[in-house]
Amino acid sequence: MVRALLTGGALAPKTAVMTERFKGSFTQQEPLPEAAIEAALAVLKHGRLHRYNTVPGELSETALLEQEFAALTGAKYALAVASGGYALATALRAVGVRPGDPVLTNAFTLASVPGSIASVGAVPVFVGVSDALTIDLDDLAAKAGQARVLMLSHMRGHICDMDRLMRICDDAGLTVIEDCAHTMGGGWNGVASGRHGAVACYSTQTYKHVNSGEGGFLITDDAETAARAIMLSGSYMLYERHLAAPDPAVFERVKYVTPNISGRMDNLRAAILRPQLRDLPAQVARWNERYRVLEDGLRGTPGLTVVERSGAEEFVGSSFQFLLAGWSEAAVREVVTRCDARGVELKWFGTPEPHGFTSRYDSWRYAPEQSLPESDRVLRGLLDLRVPLTFSPEDCALIARIIRDEVGAVWQRGG
Ligand SMILES: *Cc1c(COP(=O)(O)O)cnc(C)c1O
């Protein structure tokens, strides 16, 4: 402080000397654990990368990964696939969604979710987002009669009251497919995220909770759904090599009528995922430590609303959201620009044009046009930042100080 005053003086504006900048990268993940690198090398050395390429007596890395993922989530059946989006489309096919069928889904989610619905020729029907950034359960109750399936996206890790959601869906006869891309390792009221609905899908893409570049999982307790998903994924007739699959008798009922739409996981990616699954609980704790630092640093900032989390929600703080509720577009833009100038990359879900991973439901124009004014209001003030584990808790404290400063500066001039 004294130094800043002394060196500032007439030559430089005082603020320029005292202004903190963040120098980290919002897209840099941690290196893979040593155990994953060793496992990958072993696969590369024997060369059997295809999941069904095994020597007698060998269990493939992919089959073992599925067995371990089923154990981790408590599901009866698990299938590893090529991407999270592929898992979502496969789930829709496996529960019997046909071209032209309406499918309910979140208005606030990533493009791969409505995209998976469109990929099977079905029609996304959007359900609004609440101020808690979860699905609007009143809107869901109002629309529940319009479809047979809900694809529920736990977008950015915000988990709604799952007990109430399941009551609404059970009463309306809605089959629930959960998109757990941001809730792997999370839960609701002691139940793992993904264990409420009929099927759940996960992504193992680089920006999610475990990193295989690309990849995904599908879990279910329903034997026929699992058998169909396995056939769909491109198992040819080798389904008996799966370790988290239903009895061969179940496949007899589906194998002639289920098309092969290849999207398998391979042994190289499975090998690097297995050690990461073992580390997941420790990683979740590290994410949440960082999340709490951001939350503490931002709570009480005038004009800024922290999204309060329910005590029943066991979330994974791999990203952070806050609201500038009621702010003008110009003022929100200014906050984004000013934070960016100090090294803090905020994504704005209210922007009219899709940018990077943020897009609004009205830019998915392959879906029928729908109007959700309450969701528009929430999204207009919604800002988002990634929290990669390469950030230290001190980094997160600095990021919070920068956001607090810049939100404060714009707010003082009228929001
Ligand atoms: C990443 C993501 C997906 C899809 O995962 P991919 O592996 O990229 O296909 C689905 N839903 C949400 C909310 C996601 O963030």
Side-chain angles (χ1 to χ4, degrees):
M1 185 65 188
V2 170
R3 196 184 141 76
L5 289 172
L6 288 176
T7 56
L11 290 175
K14 197 163 70 183
T15 50
V17 177
M18 303 197 326
T19 297
E20 294 180 294
R21 264 189 121 266
F22 179 63
K23 302 224 167 59
S25 161
F26 282 78
T27 51
Q28 181 62 54
Q29 309 301 320
E30 293 185 294
L32 295 193
E34 275 308 316
I37 295 168
E38 273 170 35
L41 284 174
V43 173
L44 291 174
K45 282 177 184 162
H46 67 55
R48 293 184 295 279
L49 274 74
H50 192 285
R51 67 167 297 163
Y52 299 119
N53 183 198
T54 50
V55 292
E58 185 185 18
L59 300 172
S60 79
E61 289 284 342
T62 308
L64 290 166
L65 173 71
E66 288 166 345
Q67 191 176 47
E68 289 161 7
F69 195 68
L72 179 78
T73 53
K76 278 195 191 154
Y77 313 113
L79 172 68
V81 293
S83 75
Y86 180 86
L88 292 170
T90 302
L92 289 166
R93 290 191 171 99
V95 302
V97 171
R98 314 285 308 171
D101 286 354
V103 174
L104 291 164
T105 194
N106 304 59
F108 172 49
T109 186
L110 289 197
S112 52
V113 177
S116 72
I117 296 170
S119 81
V120 302
V123 182
V125 177
F126 298 118
V127 182
V129 61
S130 73
D131 289 295
L133 303 187
T134 53
I135 194 165
D136 177 341
L137 292 175
D138 295 328
D139 195 31
L140 175 64
K143 291 173 177 163
Q146 294 182 25
R148 285 194 317 107
V149 173
L150 166 67
M151 179 170 276
L152 171 67
S153 184
H154 302 295
M155 177 61 172
R156 285 288 176 265
H158 294 272
I159 304 176
C160 72
D161 178 343
M162 287 304 294
D163 303 317
R164 183 170 168 219
L165 177 128
M166 288 311 298
R167 275 197 305 277
I168 294 169
C169 293
D170 289 345
D171 288 350
L174 274 172
T175 298
V176 179
I177 297 170
E178 293 184 72
D179 165 23
C180 301
H182 302 158
T183 56
M184 183 191 285
W188 174 264
N189 242 341
V191 178
S193 184
R195 298 296 293 136
H196 293 86
V199 189
C201 301
Y202 302 79
S203 170
T204 65
Q205 191 235 73
T206 294
Y207 300 108
K208 311 301 163 85
H209 298 172
V210 289
N211 175 10
S212 61
E214 302 287 355
F217 288 108
L218 179 158
I219 60 167
T220 182
D221 281 352
D222 184 75
E224 272 205 19
T225 302
R228 272 189 228 108
I230 290 167
M231 293 299 305
L232 284 162
S233 77
S235 62
Y236 302 103
M237 293 296 160
L238 300 168
Y239 47 81
E240 288 189 46
R241 305 229 193 129
H242 286 241
L243 300 172
D247 195 76
V250 182
F251 287 88
E252 290 302 323
R253 301 205 290 269
V254 304
K255 71 181 192 186
Y256 297 108
V257 292
T258 308
N260 178 325
I261 305 175
S262 289
R264 292 172 300 272
M265 167 70 64
D266 60 81
N267 287 334
L268 182 58
R269 286 187 277 173
I272 65 177
L273 285 170
R274 292 178 63 207
Q276 293 183 68
L277 284 187
R278 292 196 279 278
D279 291 345
L280 183 61
Q283 299 291 77
V284 170
R286 293 175 66 216
W287 262 306
N288 289 353
E289 182 191 0
R290 286 152 181 77
Y291 185 96
R292 291 301 184 193
V293 171
L294 283 164
E295 194 178 44
D296 290 345
L298 289 175
R299 189 173 271 129
T301 305
L304 178 151
T305 311
V306 164
V307 181
E308 299 298 343
R309 317 286 302 231
S310 155
E313 187 188 12
E314 296 133 46
F315 64 92
V316 183
S318 55
S319 68
F320 188 90
Q321 292 73 43
F322 61 88
L323 295 165
L324 299 178
W327 286 45
S328 72
E329 269 192 20
V332 176
R333 263 186 220 284
E334 195 183 343
V335 167
V336 173
T337 307
R338 293 175 68 120
C339 286
D340 192 57
R342 294 178 66 181
V344 174
E345 258 178 58
L346 299 177
K347 304 287 175 184
W348 180 33
F349 275 95
T351 184
E353 274 305 305
H355 280 294
F357 66 81
T358 51
S359 60
R360 242 171 27 187
Y361 70 92
D362 56 353
S363 55
W364 306 324
R365 292 183 201 159
Y366 47 83
E369 200 177 313
Q370 290 160 69
S371 163
L372 298 158
E374 275 302 296
S375 298
D376 297 342
R377 176 184 60 74
V378 175
L379 296 177
R380 253 195 312 272
L382 175 56
L383 291 164
D384 173 90
L385 57 140
R386 284 203 177 108
V387 187
L389 287 174
T390 48
F391 291 1
S392 65
E394 294 72 32
D395 289 337
C396 294
L398 169 59
I399 290 167
R401 282 198 300 278
I402 290 172
I403 295 172
R404 201 182 172 95
D405 265 11
E406 298 304 337
V407 166
V410 180
W411 177 251
Q412 270 175 9
R413 298 202 323 258

